[in-house]
Amino acid sequence: MRVWPWLLALAFTLWVLLPIYLIALSAFSPREAVYAWPKAFLPGSLSLETLRFFFGVEGVWRATATSLVVAGLTVAFSLLLGAPAGYALARFPFPGRDAFRVLLILTRAFPIVVLALPLAVLFLRVGLYDTPLGVALVHTALTLPFAVLVSASLFLSIPKELEEAAWTLGCTRTQAFVKVVLPLALPGLAATAIFAFITSWNEVFAASVLTLQNKTLTAYLLTLLDESPLPFKFAGGFFLVVPALVFLFLVRRYLFTLWGISHR
Amino acid sequence: MGSIRVENVVKRFGKVEALKGVRLQVQDQEFLVLLGPSGCGKTTLLRIVAGLETPTQGEVYIGERRVTHLPPRLRGIAMVFQNYAIFPHLTVYENVAFGLRMKRRPEAAIRQKVREVAALLRIEELLERYPAQLSGGQRQRVAVARALAVEPEVLLMDEPLSNLDALLRLEMRAELKRLLKETRTTTLYVTHDQVEAMSLADRIAVMRQGEIVQLGTPTEIYHHPADTFVGGFIGNPPMNFLPVVAEGGQVVLDGLRLPSPAERGPLLLGIRAEDLEVFPEPVEGGFAARVLVVEPLGPHLQLTLEREGTTFRALADPGFAAAPGATLYLRPKEGRVRFFHPETGKAL
Ligand SMILES: Nc1ncnc2c1ncn2[C@@H]1O[C@H](COP(=O)(O)OP(=O)(O)OP(=O)(O)O)[C@@H](O)[C@H]1O
Ligand SMILES: [Mg+2]
């Protein structure tokens, strides 16, 4: 009877999962297995050799540290700017509120490819070129629209009366926010944070164009990709994919509410 | 002390004028109910007193202090919200203690006060629970406990019983009445349920379209409505209004003769259903009407009658024999007839 939807779903699932599986398999296989053809579909012998080699390469640790700094800064900026903006969108009717919402999404209409070169010139001039801060600012520009919209819908879902009750019980606006709204918003804000982290972690174009010495892991791997051996590519690919998977698993509930389908 | 004074408060939301110059005084320790149909501005007025809304014009005083521009936390009020607004991430204990913690009371004093109000509201067993584990009635108690714990000068409640089922509402109504007699807190209470208002209030302020149309004790308002709106809004069934014509300072309806407030011209005669005595035969001082509907309601028989195109209601004994189509005779009880202006509806 209704077998087609299931088949379709299965096809899509395989489409996504198969490459990930193969990458993971290769990352944990010894060198010879990576080069072997035809590929073994089941792990023959697991080994950490490939991963060990990956982390032994000059500059990988430094790039990982840079990636962490950039992603951390991106998370901080996204939350510190995005949450208050989302709160304002949720609680205060101001002229042009709906237009503002649309504008937020429109910012994503400018491809980063177009923006990166002028930005590189500008960053060179103001001394942000080749700094983690510079890259983090660009990444924040990418994540901020979502941070604002997600936290706006988050704050909308917290009844205003809870805040008002806190005011009548002796809270200032700030105290009410910290004692009542924040604890309730925390899971959603965490999701926003992880989203910002992953976006920054995976972004490669801006990070490549705007840095020279201080490359993030993705940008660094890109420069190495051509001349590096196959096992290294697999190990690097695996290391880039894992955070995204963990993130998706953690926030799938919030993503569903975000698109208007309620969870539970 | 805990009195409230509202002076000429006007509130506009854009083009909507929610309050049109309201003046109201609630005495210390008084229980005053704001009563009116949906959308008449009750909640708006309450929120202005709470400081959750600022008036477009006018002033609010609590005790001797002018609080018009003070934030809620500095007004010495506590509020019970219609949906209770209990903090879902805190236990019942922490909810009740919330206001006390904000006042930086010592831990021992907080514990003692929480136990005290918990006992008053009979929620001692629930203190360790989270709001999600409570029933509607229990949440309602927690909301009241949280408000009373801070010992407010003034307690504000917005339809606190409207989310409960009918039986629980009756029970909580009696409970609230006992409680507020005990604590003697000045209370401003919003409802659109006239029975609730009659049962709880020291005085009722009846509102309509952003104005207070009558302020008085439940008895005054019930027996001497200021206009046909109040008479029709309060009481179940609503007050009957019969169009009559005065001549020579008298109103004559068959055998009924009443001195009229106007020398001549049309009037509305207002009489409550239970103030009409029903007879099967013509009586001295009675008028005739035809029965349309007979409803046995238990304690009495509710009759819907018709006379000269106007329908009205009367209550008879449960054993009274009446059938649709029959003619009955009705006599108003002594001193219960009111007259109203036929156009303005104002009492004469
Ligand atoms: N924030 C607001 N913005 C615009 N109009 C509002 C706002 N709050 C209330 N109003 C309008 O003011 C009028 C009075 O509303 P209010 O909530 O005070 O009525 P109410 O008497 O409490 O009614 P109900 O019994 O339904 O709760 C209504 O016409 C309402 O639409
Ligand atoms: Mg209301």
Side-chain angles (χ1 to χ4, degrees):
Chain A
M1 10 155 259
R2 308 225 297 153
V3 64
W4 279 109
W6 288 103
L7 277 183
L8 215 59
L10 187 71
F12 276 123
T13 312
L14 285 180
W15 172 271
V16 173
L17 284 186
L18 206 59
I20 294 175
Y21 173 74
L22 287 177
I23 288 175
L25 192 65
S26 302
F28 285 100
S29 299
R31 262 157 190 266
E32 315 78 62
V34 175
Y35 287 113
W37 193 264
K39 284 255 171 289
F41 205 73
L42 296 171
S45 58
L46 287 181
S47 104
L48 291 178
E49 186 196 344
T50 307
L51 278 183
R52 207 175 300 129
F53 168 70
F54 171 75
F55 282 112
V57 170
E58 158 98 43
V60 164
W61 280 114
R62 202 171 97 94
T64 307
T66 308
S67 263
L68 283 176
V69 171
V70 170
L73 284 174
T74 306
V75 168
F77 292 153
S78 302
L79 284 186
L80 291 179
L81 297 173
Y87 185 78
L89 265 182
R91 286 289 191 260
F92 304 107
F94 55 87
R97 180 162 68 166
D98 293 330
F100 179 67
R101 252 180 236 275
V102 176
L103 271 178
L104 272 178
I105 300 177
L106 278 187
T107 56
R108 296 303 306 267
F110 294 99
I112 192 75
V113 182
V114 176
L115 292 176
L117 286 173
L119 270 177
V121 175
L122 181 71
F123 277 15
L124 271 173
R125 222 176 275 155
V126 296
L128 280 174
Y129 188 78
D130 202 18
T131 61
L133 179 63
V135 181
L137 284 178
V138 177
H139 287 177
T140 305
L142 293 177
T143 57
L144 201 52
F146 287 101
V148 173
L149 293 178
V150 171
S151 49
S153 67
L154 200 66
F155 290 130
L156 264 182
S157 72
I158 298 172
K160 193 165 195 295
E161 283 85 4
L162 289 182
E163 251 177 296
E164 293 178 338
W167 299 343
T168 63
L169 289 167
C171 286
T172 61
R173 267 184 176 267
T174 318
Q175 285 171 325
F177 183 81
V178 172
K179 283 178 190 295
V180 175
V181 180
L182 211 50
L184 295 171
L186 222 47
L189 288 180
T192 311
I194 300 169
F195 176 76
F197 188 95
I198 299 297
T199 305
S200 168
W201 181 267
N202 284 345
E203 200 285 326
V204 61
F205 191 84
S208 300
V209 174
L210 298 175
T211 55
L212 215 54
Q213 307 293 319
N214 295 311
K215 292 228 176 289
T216 61
L217 186 61
T218 31
Y220 186 61
L221 289 182
L222 194 69
T223 61
L224 293 185
L225 221 50
D226 279 346
E227 61 235 49
S228 53
L230 202 54
F232 181 85
K233 291 178 186 169
F234 280 121
F238 179 70
F239 202 60
L240 288 178
V241 162
V242 166
L245 288 183
V246 173
F247 158 73
L248 277 175
F249 186 74
L250 286 178
V251 304
R252 63 198 194 289
R253 253 180 51 170
Y254 303 103
L255 285 183
F256 280 126
T257 37
L258 174 61
W259 305 122
I261 310 160
S262 78
H263 51 81
R264 257 180 284 182
Chain B
M1 286 303 294
S3 62
I4 306 172
R5 207 162 88 237
V6 174
E7 286 190 349
N8 298 316
V9 162
V10 174
K11 178 68 185 179
R12 285 188 209 100
F13 295 105
K15 288 198 182 66
V16 183
E17 197 166 45
L19 296 175
K20 306 170 182 170
V22 171
R23 340 184 59 198
L24 178 68
Q25 182 140 16
V26 187
Q27 312 297 341
D28 184 35
Q29 304 193 357
E30 185 180 24
F31 195 127
L32 191 131
V33 172
L34 288 175
L35 175 66
S38 193
C40 70
K42 309 177 296 284
T43 298
T44 306
L45 182 54
L46 195 77
R47 288 171 58 85
I48 284 175
V49 174
L52 298 172
E53 216 72 77
T54 37
T56 312
Q57 273 170 42
E59 303 286 349
V60 179
Y61 295 82
I62 292 177
E64 288 313 307
R65 289 188 308 152
R66 191 170 72 111
V67 299
T68 317
H69 298 290
L70 291 184
R73 77 196 139 92
L74 301 178
R75 293 193 176 198
I77 54 135
M79 184 153 168
V80 178
F81 291 77
Q82 182 168 2
N83 57 9
Y84 314 143
I86 304 176
F87 306 130
H89 60 299
L90 299 178
T91 60
V92 170
Y93 181 95
E94 286 303 323
N95 263 285
V96 178
F98 192 93
L100 300 166
R101 290 208 192 285
M102 291 312 299
K103 291 185 174 181
R104 302 187 182 287
R105 292 285 159 76
E107 199 58 44
I110 293 179
R111 197 172 320 123
Q112 196 198 335
K113 187 71 200 175
V114 173
R115 300 262 167 241
E116 186 188 317
V117 281
L120 204 59
L121 279 140
R122 311 200 176 119
I123 52 170
E124 295 111 312
E125 280 79 53
L126 309 177
L127 286 175
E128 299 315 315
R129 293 213 204 157
Y130 280 90
Q133 303 161 309
L134 301 179
S135 71
Q138 290 169 335
R139 278 179 217 191
Q140 207 273 339
R141 284 163 195 269
V142 173
V144 176
R146 184 177 69 179
L148 286 178
V150 297
E151 295 178 12
E153 280 178 63
V154 161
L155 182 60
L156 307 171
M157 301 203 211
D158 192 356
E159 312 214 16
L161 304 183
S162 65
N163 283 345
L164 304 179
D165 64 53
L167 214 60
L168 200 54
R169 200 181 310 172
L170 276 184
E171 190 183 310
M172 281 308 296
R173 196 170 81 197
E175 191 112 320
L176 267 185
K177 187 157 184 166
R178 165 189 72 86
L179 200 68
L180 292 162
K181 278 273 171 317
E182 259 172 65
T183 59
R184 298 171 159 274
T185 311
T186 311
T187 306
L188 186 55
Y189 184 105
V190 164
T191 181
H192 62 252
D193 179 338
Q194 45 106 7
V195 183
E196 206 171 290
M198 298 281 294
S199 117
L200 289 170
D202 292 326
R203 283 192 304 159
I204 298 177
V206 184
M207 290 186 70
R208 179 196 186 188
Q209 293 176 1
E211 284 171 317
I212 293 182
V213 286
Q214 190 171 10
L215 177 62
T217 64
T219 332
E220 272 167 28
I221 287 188
Y222 190 79
H223 291 294
H224 296 272
D227 58 20
T228 50
F229 166 76
V230 177
F233 190 70
I234 300 211
N236 185 20
M239 194 178 228
N240 298 311
F241 299 103
L242 301 168
V244 293
V245 181
E247 246 175 80
Q250 253 197 348
V251 164
V252 179
L253 268 182
D254 300 344
L256 176 67
R257 287 166 183 278
L258 292 164
S260 101
E263 185 57 28
R264 55 173 57 253
L267 288 172
L268 281 178
L269 181 157
I271 180 84
R272 294 211 170 266
E274 70 272 22
D275 291 335
L276 281 171
E277 291 177 289
V278 188
F279 301 92
E281 304 293 333
V283 284
E284 175 80 28
F287 61 92
R290 198 164 54 86
V291 179
L292 293 179
V293 183
V294 180
E295 297 166 276
L297 297 182
H300 46 246
L301 204 63
Q302 180 171 303
L303 306 171
T304 304
L305 305 121
E306 187 255 2
R307 182 192 156 85
E308 290 171 0
T310 309
T311 55
F312 62 98
R313 294 201 178 84
L315 300 179
D317 278 344
F320 190 86
T327 298
L328 294 177
Y329 298 86
L330 301 128
R331 187 171 66 192
K333 288 182 187 161
E334 187 70 31
R336 290 295 163 86
V337 168
R338 309 279 171 252
F339 285 104
F340 299 89
H341 193 282
E343 271 126 44
T344 64
K346 293 260 180 287
L348 297 170

